[in-house]
Amino acid sequence: MTVNLRQAATLCVALTLCGLLLVPTNFPGLDGDARLTLAVFALATCAWIGTPIDDTYIALGAGLALTATGVISSDTLFGTLGDATVWLLICAFVLAAAVARTGLAGRAAAFLVSGARSVRQLTHLTTAALVVTAFAVPATSGRAALALPVFLALAKVLSDRKRLVVMLALLFPTVILLSAVATLIGAGAHLITVSVLWEATGDRIGFTQWLLLGLPLAVASSHLAAEIVLLTTTRRADRRGPVRITADQIQEHSEQPVTGPLSSAEARCALLLGTVVTLWCSEPLHQVPPAVVALIGAVVAASPALGTVRLKDALKTVPWALLLFMAATMAMGVALADSGAAKWLVSGLPVAVPPWLFLAVVILLSTAAHLILQSRSARSSVLVPLVVAAAIGAGVNPVAAALASTAAAGFCHTLPASAKPVTLFSELPDTPTYTPRDLLRLSAVLAPATAALVLLFALSVWPLLGVPVLDP
């Protein structure tokens, strides 16, 4: 009944907005294309919020409606699928499939956590290992799936200390979600943000610049969250006892070897991944686009002689629905910017506010948006075009505002259904895990802490790295 009421209310809101937009005398200053864009945008947003219809289906329908009505051209709609960022993500998933096939992730995790001698060391070493996976596996759901076997092995080793297992169950998805901001391929929302900025302002954020801005925030927020998870989930007595986890203990619960010399396949994959990441990070030196580097890596990873995975098997791991969703929402962003709809939406907002207050409001709204829109990509599709338009009007650097919004939207821990990694680690048979109450207790502390940290970076750290607060 509650779901039906929510759907009915959402439908009423959408139809009301569309009805108001269809009356020519309403909203003077809006031309036909802008009205159509806002109507489609409102319908899509309400459908994302209040219906169980697949997000990708809604986005494709919205893109098709904008094309059929002439707001955007068919070349714009289909051209988004050929965007370099889409190819970057496809090739990154092929590389991730090669890494997963070899078991390198398990070796790295065993190497790190076996050095822990206390609960706090175990917590922060696990956090460091999870942050590193952002370079190897794109998208948070893929990283969660890769990390799950490692967690289950740790849970078996620590089976006599239930509260520590619950703490780790909460730590894994928390760090996976917050550390995604480290790299451009960390989440599909990042690619949407880059596309919106390019279309609206002509500023393109490359892999290296995103890494420079996002990695420090990812490390700081992840370790801050680790400490908060530790303090809110365990008692002092739980943290006082020593911890000794050996690689042999982890091996007992792992199907792939985590010790011993690297196999030839593991060595080749490690060398390939290291080379690709190095080339990504050194883009300003060699000027080879990240998508081209990723494509070369993917071809090598799937090659008969040097590869560790067959191409057809690797392509099965690519989330094609996510890519279609991204392409369609990129087209929606183009329509919002080119039609003037985004500029009109924010034209009535008070812009004579201090830059810090503007960014604080953006971060607050982006942090809370997961309570309404569960899809991280959908949140960026809705928020970033409006944030960019509002920032330009307020004299705030749109790059800083868009990055702050995207980083803040990485918080989605309040409910088990708020994000796929949170859902995955909350449903583990025969393994102690967290409850919705644990999530609420964590969110009450973590939400304001991460929002304040993003604001600190936007005001103090990013200007030192070339992204000023004010629009240059």
Side-chain angles (χ1 to χ4, degrees):
M1 180 63 72
T2 303
V3 175
N4 291 335
L5 287 175
R6 182 180 180 182
Q7 292 178 5
T10 306
L11 180 62
C12 288
V13 170
L15 292 178
T16 300
L17 290 174
C18 291
L20 292 172
L21 287 167
L22 289 176
V23 178
T25 55
N26 289 336
F27 313 118
L30 273 181
D31 61 16
D33 284 353
R35 288 177 183 273
L36 286 170
T37 300
L38 287 177
V40 172
F41 187 73
L43 285 171
T45 303
C46 289
W48 281 329
I49 294 172
T51 70
I53 302 173
D54 184 78
D55 290 343
T56 302
Y57 187 84
I58 295 169
L60 288 174
L64 180 60
L66 291 170
T67 304
T69 54
V71 177
I72 58 175
S73 66
S74 59
D75 289 342
T76 299
L77 177 64
F78 297 127
T80 54
L81 274 174
D83 191 89
T85 55
V86 174
W87 277 94
L88 173 63
L89 198 59
I90 293 173
C91 297
F93 269 100
V94 174
L95 287 167
V99 173
R101 181 67 62 90
T102 61
L104 279 175
R107 280 185 179 271
F111 172 76
L112 283 173
V113 301
S114 61
R117 294 296 178 263
S118 68
V119 173
R120 182 164 271 108
Q121 282 185 353
L122 174 64
T123 301
H124 287 282
L125 285 173
T126 302
T127 299
L130 291 171
V131 172
V132 171
T133 62
F135 294 91
V137 183
T140 54
S141 56
R143 293 169 62 204
L146 183 69
L148 183 59
V150 177
F151 164 74
L152 293 176
L154 290 174
K156 295 286 179 54
V157 175
L158 297 170
S159 58
D160 58 332
R161 303 176 70 173
K162 180 179 177 181
R163 297 193 70 85
L164 289 189
V165 176
V166 172
M167 183 274 292
L168 288 173
L170 195 51
L171 177 71
F172 271 70
T174 297
V175 174
I176 285 170
L177 289 167
L178 293 179
S179 62
V181 73
T183 70
L184 182 59
I185 61 173
H190 302 170
L191 306 182
I192 293 172
T193 298
V194 169
S195 175
V196 170
L197 278 171
W198 170 251
E199 294 293 342
T201 67
D203 294 320
R204 181 176 288 278
I205 301 178
F207 187 94
T208 306
Q209 186 181 10
W210 190 290
L211 182 69
L212 180 66
L213 299 170
L215 181 57
L217 176 59
V219 172
S221 60
S222 296
H223 284 280
L224 173 64
E227 198 64 28
I228 292 174
V229 169
L230 182 63
L231 295 176
T232 57
T233 311
T234 62
R235 301 187 182 97
R236 183 174 297 178
D238 301 318
R239 300 189 293 271
R240 188 178 296 133
V243 170
R244 285 198 176 275
I245 300 175
T246 66
D248 291 336
Q249 288 176 312
I250 297 177
Q251 182 66 77
E252 292 176 4
H253 308 286
S254 176
E255 296 179 357
Q256 295 174 315
V258 297
T259 58
L262 295 176
S263 66
S264 60
E266 289 173 326
R268 292 197 307 272
C269 189
L271 178 61
L272 174 62
L273 182 62
T275 302
V276 168
V277 173
T278 300
L279 290 174
W280 277 340
C281 296
S282 58
E283 179 192 356
L285 298 177
H286 53 70
Q287 298 297 314
V288 179
V292 175
V293 172
L295 181 57
I296 295 171
V299 170
V300 174
S303 64
L306 301 175
T308 59
V309 65
R310 293 189 302 175
L311 183 59
K312 67 176 183 179
D313 294 331
L315 290 177
K316 291 178 182 177
T317 67
V318 178
W320 298 105
L322 172 63
L323 296 176
L324 289 173
F325 177 88
M326 286 171 46
T329 52
M330 286 177 186
M332 291 174 63
V334 172
L336 281 169
D338 291 353
S339 68
K343 184 177 181 180
W344 180 86
L345 272 177
V346 300
S347 61
L349 298 177
V351 294
V353 296
W356 69 265
L357 181 58
F358 177 88
L359 290 173
V361 172
V362 166
I363 291 168
L364 179 64
L365 292 176
S366 301
T367 302
H370 73 282
L371 298 173
I372 300 175
L373 278 169
Q374 293 182 348
S375 168
R376 190 171 184 167
S377 297
R379 292 198 296 275
S380 289
S381 302
V382 172
L383 289 173
V384 174
L386 304 182
V387 166
V388 169
I392 294 173
V396 175
N397 186 354
V399 175
L403 285 173
S405 174
T406 305
F411 175 84
C412 36
H413 302 67
T414 306
L415 301 170
S418 295
K420 291 177 182 177
V422 180
T423 304
L424 178 64
F425 278 84
S426 69
E427 300 174 349
L428 300 174
D430 303 322
T431 302
T433 188
Y434 47 84
T435 64
R437 188 173 183 177
D438 293 324
L439 284 174
L440 291 174
R441 184 168 58 246
L442 172 65
S443 297
V445 182
L446 187 59
T450 53
L453 186 64
V454 173
L455 182 61
L456 174 66
F457 266 73
L459 295 176
S460 303
V461 180
W462 289 343
L464 300 176
L465 300 175
V467 180
V469 174
L470 298 179
D471 195 4

